[in-house]
Amino acid sequence: MKKMRDAMTAAASCTLFLAHPAASFAGAVVGQPAPAFSLPDASGGQEALSSFKGKYVVLEWVNFDCPFVGKHYGSGNMQKLQKTYTGKGVVWLSINSSAGGKQGALDATKANALVKEKGAAPTAFLLDSEGAVGQAYGAKTTPHMFIIDPSGKLIYNGAIDDRPSIDKADIATARNYVQTALDEAMAGKPVTTTSSQPYGCSVKYR
């Protein structure tokens, strides 16, 4: 509880949001086909989920102004996950759903600059300023993580880990749900935790 209070104080400019477990099931549903989408890539292309069928896909909702996102990028944790799993053939799509004028909103130029500055290594950084894809998936927080299997079915929806704090030191002892789910699924094993309560800043929809 102390760490939760510390996080809320330090993140005064960015409200901690703990999505209700039931709310996390709104939108994309574990065990069901993941909602189809096509979004502009900050690099100038267009990425459709359908083009990645046959591969594992991670969706990461991101707002670089959010201190909970800052914890994972400032420690190098998110970049390490991106590099590890894209190196194993996983498609990693970072998605920004902040509406224009709201916290974390990015155009392509700013997005590319921040990806370079942070040393991020997603397969693509997608811009969802209308928030349509975020709302289709029920993305509540940044970060909020989803994993899609090669058949196009959602196999995980929730937090990146079990430590809802902005303390980088917590990462070393946290249980990383995304890493665990990917490792289990890619080894042909059942995913033991298919959903969890996402935490972080609320997604800044229009």
Side-chain angles (χ1 to χ4, degrees):
M1 289 302 294
K2 181 180 183 302
K3 286 192 174 182
M4 183 73 71
R5 287 195 298 272
D6 291 345
M8 294 179 72
T9 299
S13 64
C14 187
T15 305
L16 170 65
F17 185 87
L18 288 168
H20 187 279
S24 69
F25 294 106
V29 178
V30 171
Q32 297 298 314
F37 66 82
S38 179
L39 283 173
D41 183 331
S43 296
Q46 188 79 14
E47 301 290 354
L49 178 62
S50 59
S51 66
F52 300 119
K53 193 164 185 178
K55 297 183 177 181
Y56 285 95
V57 178
V58 174
L59 306 182
E60 169 211 352
W61 259 263
V62 61
N63 164 4
F64 287 122
D65 292 336
C66 168
F68 296 90
V69 171
K71 163 188 167 184
H72 292 286
Y73 277 94
S75 63
N77 184 50
M78 194 69 80
Q79 300 93 319
K80 181 179 178 182
L81 289 171
Q82 293 167 343
K83 291 174 182 174
T84 296
Y85 289 101
T86 56
K88 296 180 179 181
V90 173
V91 174
W92 191 293
L93 303 176
S94 299
I95 302 177
N96 179 269
S97 295
S98 292
K102 295 195 175 183
Q103 185 198 54
L106 298 171
D107 59 20
T109 300
K110 290 180 180 176
N112 287 326
L114 282 168
V115 166
K116 183 177 181 181
E117 176 187 316
K118 305 290 184 185
T123 305
F125 192 101
L126 307 182
L127 302 172
D128 179 40
S129 59
E130 296 296 321
V133 175
Q135 292 175 353
Y137 274 78
K140 307 293 183 187
T141 63
T142 53
H144 189 158
M145 312 296 293
F146 298 84
I147 302 174
I148 301 164
D149 76 5
S151 72
K153 185 173 65 178
L154 193 74
I155 59 171
Y156 179 74
N157 172 358
I160 185 171
D161 62 27
D162 63 352
R163 299 296 176 91
S165 79
I166 60 170
D167 187 348
K168 296 175 187 174
D170 285 342
I171 292 172
T173 55
R175 180 187 179 200
N176 191 300
Y177 294 128
V178 174
Q179 180 176 356
T180 300
L182 282 170
D183 287 347
E184 290 174 339
M186 294 173 76
K189 300 176 181 177
V191 175
T192 52
T193 300
T194 58
S195 64
S196 63
Q197 181 171 274
Y199 70 87
C201 306
S202 61
V203 177
K204 303 302 186 286
Y205 293 116
R206 64 174 61 247

